[in-house]
Amino acid sequence: MQWFYMHFPHLYGETWHSPFEREHPVILAREQDNCVADANDSARAKGIERNMLVNTAFCLVPEMDIHIMLPHKEIQALKRVARFAYRFSGWVGLDEPDGLYLEVASMRRFFGGLPQLKAGIEELFRELGYDFHIAAAPTPKAARILARSGIELCADKQRFRQALKQMPVDCLELPAPILIRLQKLGMRSVQDVANLPPGDLSYRVDKELATNLAQALGQSDWKPEPFHLPESFRLKIDVEQEFESLNPLLFPMASAVKRFCRFMQNRCLVSQQLILRLIHRTHPATTFSIHLATADNRVDSWVYMLSMQIDRVVLPAPVTGFELKASDFEDIPPTSFVLFQDSANTHEDKKAYLLNRLAARVGADQIHFIGLSDDYRPERQTLFSSQPLPPEALPDNLTAQSPLWLLQVPLQINIRRYQVIRGPLRMNSGWWDSVTASRDYYIAATSGQNPAALHWLFKTPPSQWFLHGIFA
Amino acid sequence: MSFAELHCISNFSFLRGASHPEELVQQAIKEGYRGIAITDECSVAGVVKAWNEIQKHRLKHFKLIIGSEFQSNGHCFVVLCQNRKGYGELCRLITGCRRRAEKGQYIFKPEDLLELQHCLLLWHPKPDTPSQIPDELTALIKHFSQRLWLLLEQHLVEQDFAQLCLVESLSQKLKLPIVASNYAHMHHPDRKMLHDAVTAIRLNSPVSQIASHLKPNAEHHLRSLQKLKALHKPEHLSESLNIIDQCSFELSELHYQYPEESVPQGFTAKSYLRKVTYEGAHTRYPDAIPDSVKALIEKELRIIDELNYEYYFLTIYDIVKYARSIGILCQGRGSAANSVVCYCLRITEVDPTKASLLFERFISKRRNEPPDIDVDFENARREEVIQYIYERYGRDRCAIAATVITYRAKSAVRDLGKALGVDLMQLENVIANYGWRYRGKDWIDEVITPQISQNNHTLSCMRTLLPQLLGFPRHLSQHVGGFVISQGPLIELVPIENAAMENRTVIQWDKEDLESLQLMKVDVLALGMLTAIRKTLEYISERKGYDFTMADIPKDGDDKVYGMLQKADTVGLFQVESRAQMNMLPRLRPEKYYDLVVQVAIVRPGPIHGDMVHPYLKGKNEGKKQEVPLKELTPILARTFGVPIFQEQVIAIAMVGADFTADEAEDLRRSMASWKKQGHMNQLRTKLTERLLGKGVNQDYIDRLCRQIEGFGEYGFPESHAASFALLAYISAWLKYYYPAAFLCGLLNSQPMGFYRPWQLVQDAQRHGVIVMPVDINHSHWDHQLQPHQNSPEEGALRLGFRSVKGLSQHSANTLTYNRPEQGYQTMNEVMNLPGISREDLEALASANAFQGLGKHRYQQRWEASAHHFYNQLFMNLEPPSQPLSAPNRLDEIIEEHSSTGVILNDHPMAYLREHSILEDCVSAEDLYHIAPEKEIYVAGVVINRQRPGTSAGVTFVTLEDETGSINVIVWLQTALNQMKDLVKARLLKVYGKVDKDAGGEVIHVVAYKLFDLTHQLMRLESRSRDFH
């Protein structure tokens, strides 16, 4: 067996804040301890180091940019490079947060030898703009120690042993108390540590260190958990003749969509988007996406949506085949399982069904959910949102005296035409977003109209009167 | 028609009220109210401030009612005290509710109100109160018959009508009168923004996200009578006057409640104080009491009698007497502490006859100020004194005063930023980078910049709100040592609540409140140096074979000791060891006790901001006295060469020069901290300026005086305190000069304290000829000890104790010494087999090289120690494999010694580097004396401290230490900014700069041009500098 290890020291920054290496200093901060997790060259040149307090970093470089590292994005970044690494190895292992193990012995012949394989990896990742260290060794942990120490070496067992002599114990990236224990025994290089009897090392210094070293030296066996590529769906159908309209193709497309739904159902997944690619003989392919308002895996939802979408497509050229593609899947949301059919669930199903149909008709971006905010300003009490608001978010300070019909823009009026019935209710709110509302609200009846209408008026401090709503 | 507000919360209902109690009182007076009740939520913390405000206005017809509100299940109850008994009941009620809950919270049940016999109750019913009144409320209605009102509060909101209907129907049904109220949360509607912001701070969410928790409008303020008339029926308004007429309690009824335990039976306080004072005087002056002292005693006793302060002096005497009886060193300070009476009572060691220059030592009869005596006790044993006070006076009669934690610049910016939803990282960035200590008047404009937020509106809101929020109380905390002792149960004097520390409680008033009410307050403070001095005296006594005390130290002035002080050879001394003090010592050249008093006080923001230092030095060294601007000020300023140095002098100038009345002067003393603020202090400032100008004092002098007052605000330092501190500074200097080993031992055994780390203290002592021996398993004890040594027959040598071994517990060290055989431990196994000795203990000892006497180097000893239990207990049959480890080299030894004990005895990292040709071009500290001034050189050393004193803007003092001594480096602001990274991060620093020497060539500085970080040369050396930024 032969393993590569790739260490990406600035993986997060290079993935999410590209280009990371620029002239302006940038740091990534961990929120939990307010420390620097990584810094670009420019920031490091000015004295910023990893694990330094963000406040200290600010003292040194006040003009720097700061980004918070989000844990879920860390693993996403690692998975992204793992996908690329998959091109070179059938066994890729993740070493969170910024390392990859690659089993390469089985791929050596395919790529024409280890040097070629290594060169191929290096070329790809350099092109992608990643900074990395790569090392090869007979065991994954040995490759890890080399790469993380910055020693880019293709080592066999013997060369690995020799390399350990050059490595100070700090290279092991140990927690501070264990590093201190080693230093207090006079251990300078990793080889000094490796020379200690493993049992004694385990008892006297640290069990995990002893295990890791044994695994690196091949004294005990260890392989990383293999990484699996995420699910994706792709289905290409060639039709026997050229079609100038899509209606005749609806049947084969529907059965392809059924296969897509079965694919999801078998894996307990749902999706919100499916890409349909129509292939023409000479013309470039026409691509459009079928988008549901809520994620689903039921055949009727998808087929209905498909038929609605197809109606609107204008073909630039006859179709000779089509392809379905999907890669964004979610797990089925948890539902309550009760013995008897839960009416709430049925209701939710029906709602999703209706929403999807509406989305198909008018477009998903035209659908808004209505919510209520607890702002005192009446014009801000109704919210539109692309996601449904949870029922508990409903505020409890809604005014009952306001009319349902609210004018979009209050209308200046002459108060003499009104007879005030009740009021005032005073409002003084909203200073924080610069739209301060200082108003006295009144209910007034129109005079001179028969029957009189009830209007909702307000007066502003300079004694200007406005009509804001009309009662039924 | 008139009205009194009966339901009103101040900002002492923390983060609920949006006005200071003083503002509420002022506004109520302005609106023509007849009175106001401050009814903070389960608290009376703000009432003293309101009371003080009323005293200032001297209004006879305006009434302050003391009360408190309690929320329960949607109902709100307001309790108002009718008389002193009612006030006691309210305090009991609040204490009960507070003690049941965690710090800052309270738990209230309506049944609790049934205990109240002398209070009135106002009830704001919850909106959905059923027509069938629940039992607990029925009981209340019955209990408070003729003492209960329904509160009607109309705020122009939707619920007003429903509330009106509810209150009126309840009134009819229960035959209860209705009283109208504003339920004021602020004094003026302009505070609505701030009210919203503090609500957001309380709920820890941005204001835009908590709209439902905000008030819809600003009607919760003290509204005009006209407005109230439009909203309420006249009978509901006039009912408020009926209520205040039934409340007669005034806070002034509380004062002068002194405990009587301190006076034995058969004596009056007066006669007993006279007796013990004269007894003390005979001890102090064994030959005969000088006539001048007698006269002074009589004068002081007379004033004490007139002001009724006997109990105060006797209580302090009682506490101090107890401390002395169990061997705890203590020292009083403060205006009253420097009196002859206190000297006779041994409250202080400052002999007033010998320090006759001290000005107005005693309480001034003219000023209505309370006596001020702070007593410092050894920090290690202060708790014993506190426990004594509890035992002597009972836990129900004494408690620690509160400190009101208020919003200061940084906390206000941080909390307001959060409330306005700005990016927290950016906010922290701005907070971290702003030079808070050097902020000027326009600091708000400098801090609130687009760096905090791109939204101009948010910035403008912050600018508006910041000045309002500053000084707002945030929560109550425990005072460092201010005790209040009462005659009756304290619980009836002031409510008590839980503190953050377990089993600790605090009262709801702070020191100023206690002073205002003239309640008995004793400051029991902790001082590390007293512990060190007591220990040093013990070691000297052991050597001498008799009890050597502070009184045995000649205080007449010892030229050798002053010589040492003049050379700034002051590492480890009390008060005069900082870099700024060391800088001043050779310039001020103290020659006698009073010079030390000035020395202690002069390196402070007050004199420095007021540019008083140079004129003083000129006066002292060149005999050029500063011209006193007014003839009548001469007696005040004569002893400081015409230059005002002390806080007392500035106040005296205000009184004599600017004709301040006693009250105004007292106001000035208290308000120095808020001198910069607008408003009330501005009036005092204007008054001072105008009157002095009127008398012909020039503007420049007045400006300097004002700046000095500003500086005192940051860190006030009165002469009366400096006098006591100077005495301790002198004693520590004397001990260091004559008994350097004992003094070092005392200092090391009292760590942590002071300015320097043990290594620096040891290095300094070694340079003074003290022999220091390493930790040894067969010779050390837990404490450092003086042991006989052939090269130091008089004092002996200092043997480092086990307390310096990092990671070794005291219990294990005691086991080691207790079981140590007479001939000592011969093998490591003997130590290993002791009960209770853990692997960590053994490892710590091995790394500290305590097993050196048993052979083998420290790495090998540690290797063996690390698996002792494994091979000797768990697997006894296994033979430990032999694993020879390589011995540490010289650098390893340095690093290990430092990391294991914090002290390097016979080597120095700089010596190592010098021998390895890394510092070839660097001049050593010792050789600096031979370098000509102005020469440009390199120096290098371990960074011992970096200090940016608040007094000298822009300069950073860096102290480096090499194997021959310490080097003082001055880094000017521009150099610091250019090389911030090296200045902040370097642990080992090389400096290129110019030598700067004083005329005598004794004070040497290196003014840095360029800094080089050499830390990488000794990566593993864990030296930490004492940084004061």
Side-chain angles (χ1 to χ4, degrees), chain A residues 325-339:
Chain A
K325 281 198 295 192
S327 55
D328 286 337
F329 294 100
E330 298 164 25
D331 291 329
I332 290 182
T335 46
S336 57
F337 292 100
V338 287
L339 185 56

Side-chain angles (χ1 to χ4, degrees), chain A residues 34 47 49 58-60 68 181 184 186 188 197 200 203-204 374 376 399-400 425-426 428 431-432 434, chain B residues 156 158 196 211 214 216-217 219 425 429 433 457 839 859 862-863 866-867 870-871 892 896 899-900 985:
Chain A
N34 203 26
E49 290 166 4
F58 269 131
C59 280
L60 288 174
I68 303 290
R181 278 178 166 266
K184 284 191 171 291
R188 289 194 182 88
D200 282 83
Y203 182 75
R204 293 177 203 249
D374 48 11
Y376 284 111
T399 48
L425 291 186
R426 185 157 293 172
N428 194 328
W431 53 268
W432 50 88
S434 76
Chain B
L156 298 181
E158 210 169 296
D196 290 348
L214 305 177
N217 57 39
E219 291 301 297
M425 276 288 178
N429 172 14
N433 280 297
H457 179 70
R839 166 184 164 173
Y859 289 162
R862 183 163 174 126
W863 175 260
S866 65
F870 187 82
Y871 288 110
D892 292 333
E896 270 304 299
S899 76
S900 306
K985 287 174 66 182

Side-chain angles (χ1 to χ4, degrees), chain A residues 29-31 34 44-49 52 54-56 58-66 68 180-181 183-188 195-197 199-201 203-205 374-376 395-402 422 424-436 440, chain B residues 155-158 192-193 196-197 207-219 227 420 425-426 428-429 432-433 451 457-458 461 465 839-840 843 847 858-859 862-867 869-871 874 880-881 883 885-889 892 896 899-900 980-981 984-985 1020:
Chain A
R30 284 189 300 264
E31 205 166 24
N34 203 26
R44 286 201 303 276
K46 294 187 173 178
I48 295 179
E49 290 166 4
M52 178 183 264
V54 171
N55 282 355
T56 315
F58 269 131
C59 280
L60 288 174
V61 191
E63 73 278 11
M64 72 183 181
D65 286 345
I66 176 166
I68 303 290
I180 290 170
R181 278 178 166 266
Q183 286 167 347
K184 284 191 171 291
L185 290 170
M187 301 289 125
R188 289 194 182 88
N195 285 342
L196 296 175
D200 282 83
L201 179 65
Y203 182 75
R204 293 177 203 249
V205 183
D374 48 11
D375 204 303
Y376 284 111
D396 52 7
N397 67 338
L398 297 171
T399 48
Q401 285 192 13
S402 55
R422 188 190 284 182
L425 291 186
R426 185 157 293 172
M427 176 192 300
N428 194 328
S429 188
W431 53 268
W432 50 88
D433 55 14
S434 76
V435 196
T436 311
D440 281 353
Chain B
H155 294 116
L156 298 181
V157 292
E158 210 169 296
K192 171 71 167 69
M193 263 173 91
D196 290 348
V207 73
S208 57
Q209 289 174 19
I210 51 149
S212 63
H213 295 272
L214 305 177
K215 304 281 177 212
N217 57 39
E219 291 301 297
K227 224 177 190 181
L420 292 173
M425 276 288 178
Q426 286 304 335
E428 288 299 334
N429 172 14
N433 280 297
Q451 227 189 327
H457 179 70
T458 306
C461 290
L465 290 172
R839 166 184 164 173
E840 285 72 26
E843 286 179 337
S847 282
R858 65 173 98 207
Y859 289 162
R862 183 163 174 126
W863 175 260
E864 284 171 23
S866 65
H869 295 285
F870 187 82
Y871 288 110
L874 287 170
Q883 185 70 37
L885 301 180
S886 49
N889 60 27
D892 292 333
E896 270 304 299
S899 76
S900 306
M980 189 58 90
K981 178 179 152 191
V984 172
K985 287 174 66 182
R1020 285 173 52 205

